[in-house]
Amino acid sequence: MLPRVVDARHAGEFRVWLRFSDGFSGEIDLADQLWGPIFEPLKSIDFFAMLRVDPDTDTITWPNGADLSPSWLYERLKARAVAAAE
């Protein structure tokens, strides 16, 4: 089963707290992902903070249509959790 984002909150600067459909949750920094034309507006913290969960795509989105793959977010968050445990 593919991971689905079911809850998300702006956690300051370019960090996002996420909860997935399997209960896995945590915070990740997305500052290094804000490149390319679609992500340019997200370099404003005020705009970045407008993130929401789109129930149709099961991931976080912004008012300009920018989004990130829920699978990519899940794997990045898992990798961060593993690194923190080591």
Side-chain angles (χ1 to χ4, degrees), residues 2-5 18 20 28 30 33 39 57-62 66-77:
L2 294 174
R4 295 180 299 116
V5 177
L18 300 165
F20 290 87
I28 57 173
L30 298 175
Q33 297 302 308
F39 293 105
T57 60
D58 297 321
T59 194
I60 53 175
T61 63
W62 286 268
D67 65 2
L68 293 165
S69 161
S71 296
W72 181 86
L73 291 165
Y74 190 88
E75 291 305 318
R76 183 164 175 151
L77 190 56

Side-chain angles (χ1 to χ4, degrees), residues 28-41:
I28 57 173
D29 190 335
L30 298 175
D32 64 343
Q33 297 302 308
L34 305 180
W35 50 271
I38 192 75
F39 293 105
E40 193 63 33

Side-chain angles (χ1 to χ4, degrees), residues 9-17 27-34 39 41-51 60 62 68:
R9 297 183 193 120
H10 180 238
E13 296 184 349
F14 301 106
R15 294 184 316 276
V16 178
W17 176 87
E27 186 178 305
I28 57 173
D29 190 335
L30 298 175
D32 64 343
Q33 297 302 308
L34 305 180
F39 293 105
L42 279 67
K43 291 181 180 178
S44 160
I45 293 174
D46 290 335
F47 193 86
F48 184 87
M50 294 181 187
L51 67 92
I60 53 175
W62 286 268
L68 293 165

